[in-house]
Amino acid sequence: MTRSTTTPLSLPLNPDQLSLWLVREQATSLGDEERQELLRWRQATASNETHYQQLLLTWQATQLVPDEHWRRILDQAPLQASRRRWLRTTLFIGAPALAAGTAVIALPGMRTLWQVTPQFTARYQSARGEQQRIVLPDQSILHLNTDTLVDVAFYADHREVTLHQGEALFDVHKQHERPFQVLGGLASILVTGTLFNVRRDPDSLSVIVQEGQVQVSSGRWWSPSHVSLGPDQRLRLDSSTGRPRVDSTPAPAATAWHTGQLVFSNAPLSEVVRELNRYRAPQQAIRIMDDSLTSRRIAAVFELHDSADLLETLPELLPLRVSTLPSGEVQLHAR
């Protein structure tokens, strides 16, 4: 992707430059290389990550502003200046204060927001094929699936988890006065107490509710979408359309990974293999060698930590044979 108006993140960023990168990230206009560059910049120092999270909270807050207020703001913008630039300056009016740990937005119809030093912060990361169970200070339980990275920040008036990649099951301890928010790139999920699963892939996000209710907010900041989900409901978003799709799915089966199982119900082999490879090293990936097998369907329960049993089971379910190369790669051939 050709860059035009971005500032290399290896350079020090002033608040205005960082706001531009964040706007492009939330609008899903960053390429893969740029997303990785932004993540590396955030991970470089604690100060970088703090600035980013403070600005991200400001961005999330703009979704509370009704559309008519944005139209009124644009109507009042100076005609001699670029309205887009004027709006961006107004949107991030608190950005110069970020270095001091405070961000304030003064927009019509919106309450004053502030960002204070969090009471608790932590970063958790699971390796490929690993699951972790973490008890947070509020007694909420966080289950991390394979290859997952999250940042946790607790404030006096809210709790916040940023899911950078991977999948997590949240068992949130109910605190009505301190809502719990998960930021997943394409959407944010707001709850007070419930059990739900969030999976973030490079170009998509899915949310599944097992108990309670959650509200998923997505879309452009000037026209956000808010969807409430209940038990056994799943919302899926992809960056190509940005439109939420809701369907029904048995949540216990979809979240069985945290008990060491993968449950498939009439799933095509291509989907089964794609899911299994999330837990295997790249050099040990399972590959379908015959296209005729791709759409063959499976109903099965696999134990995540017993790959030998898994590979022995496949030929019993489908007309295929399994061969393992010296490198550890597994190939599936039709028979």
Side-chain angles (χ1 to χ4, degrees), residues 37 98 157 223 242 261 323:
E37 188 176 356
L98 289 178
D157 61 350
S223 183
Q261 294 182 322
S323 61

Side-chain angles (χ1 to χ4, degrees), residues 49-64:
E49 181 63 14
T50 297
H51 289 352
Y52 174 87
Q53 292 297 335
Q54 289 171 335
L55 201 57
L56 181 61
L57 184 64
T58 301
W59 175 269
Q60 296 290 334
T62 64
Q63 297 187 8
L64 301 175

Side-chain angles (χ1 to χ4, degrees), residues 10 14 122 189 197 208:
S10 56
N14 63 44
I189 301 96
N197 190 88
I208 301 173

Side-chain angles (χ1 to χ4, degrees), residues 81-144:
S82 163
R83 286 188 169 185
R84 183 170 61 178
R85 178 178 178 82
W86 185 90
L87 180 58
R88 182 161 60 84
T89 303
T90 303
L91 173 62
F92 292 105
I93 195 170
L98 289 178
T102 303
V104 178
I105 305 176
L107 292 175
M110 176 187 270
R111 64 183 177 88
T112 300
L113 301 175
W114 62 93
Q115 180 76 7
V116 297
T117 302
Q119 299 171 336
F120 169 81
T121 61
R123 168 165 287 192
Y124 303 104
Q125 185 166 18
S126 62
R128 197 178 188 99
E130 179 189 19
Q131 285 81 40
Q132 293 184 20
R133 180 182 184 272
I134 300 154
V135 180
L136 299 176
D138 67 340
Q139 300 308 304
S140 295
I141 300 175
L142 178 60
H143 298 271
L144 300 187

